[in-house]
């Protein structure tokens, strides 16, 4: 066979191979929406692995808390004997929204808040579309609707800003827990529960209650 004949045969073979490849491609494109069925695979018995249980996170108690307050989504009561306690807090700004006595123990319902002053208060007010500068140079932020119920440790003193005649004392005074509770349930309840308090909670009990002055 001469050289020209050899080239002709090679060209014909190349065209044939190219046509087969193109035909295969056309078939694949037309059917790739339904990939060819795979032959059944032999079943392999597997042993189920128990799922890991995620460790529940503790409730947030940052000073940027947690709340004007929406209707509470939950009220959690925590006692000293509870197996699941929130983290201890020290001088947490708090609104005291309810109180009760049961079995000789006083319990308070607390609403944690954040109190901002000066430029921090102005920046936050501007971000929320509130008046700037803020009135009286402070802003109480209350975004978290959660309420917490704690018993109060018996025998502690409570720092208050009001006198028995209803007048306010800027330096304040300390009275017994029972005396404070009596005023909360009397005619001066508004004064003795108003403003916000710094509250400390340790081991599921309230160990400090201090009323704070706000203009």
């Amino acid at each position: 066979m001469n050289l020209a004949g050899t080239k002709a045969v090679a060209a014909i073979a190349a065209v044939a191979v190219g046509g087969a490849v193109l035909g295969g491609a056309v078939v694949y494109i037309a059917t790739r929406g339904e990939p060819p069925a795979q032959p059944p695979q032999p079943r392999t018995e597997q042993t189920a692995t128990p799922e890991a249980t995620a460790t529940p996170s503790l409730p947030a108690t940052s000073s940027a808390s947690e709340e004007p307050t929406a209707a509470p989504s939950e009220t959690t009561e925590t006692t000293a004997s509870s197996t699941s306690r929130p983290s201890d807090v020290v001088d947490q700004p708090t609104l005291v929204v309810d109180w009760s006595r049961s079995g000789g123990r006083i319990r308070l319902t607390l609403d944690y808040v954040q109190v901002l002053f000066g430029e921090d208060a102005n920046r936050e007010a501007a971000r929320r579309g509130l008046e700037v500068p803020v009135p009286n140079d402070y802003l109480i932020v209350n975004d978290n609707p959660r309420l917490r119920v704690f018993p109060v440790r018996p025998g502690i003193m409570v720092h208050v800003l009001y006198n028995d005649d209803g007048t306010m004392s800027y330096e304040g005074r300390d009275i017994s827990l029972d005396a404070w509770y009596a005023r909360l349930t009397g005619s001066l309840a508004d004064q003795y529960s108003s403003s916000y308090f710094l509250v400390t909670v340790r081991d599921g009990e309230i160990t400090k209650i201090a009323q704070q002055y706000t203009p």
Side-chain angles (χ1 to χ4, degrees), residues 191-210:
Q191 288 93 326
Y192 282 91
S193 63
S194 64
S195 183
Y196 71 95
F197 293 78
L198 294 182
V199 172
T200 295
V201 177
R202 295 190 184 280
D203 297 328
E205 286 186 327
I206 296 172
T207 60
K208 175 184 174 180
I209 306 168

Side-chain angles (χ1 to χ4, degrees), residues 132-161:
V132 178
V134 296
N136 301 312
D137 202 39
Y138 79 97
L139 177 69
I140 295 179
V141 178
N142 191 13
D143 291 330
N144 191 321
R146 182 181 178 186
L147 302 179
R148 297 169 169 83
V149 180
F150 295 102
V152 184
R153 180 172 295 176
I156 69 168
M157 302 297 287
V158 179
H159 187 77
V160 297
L161 298 176

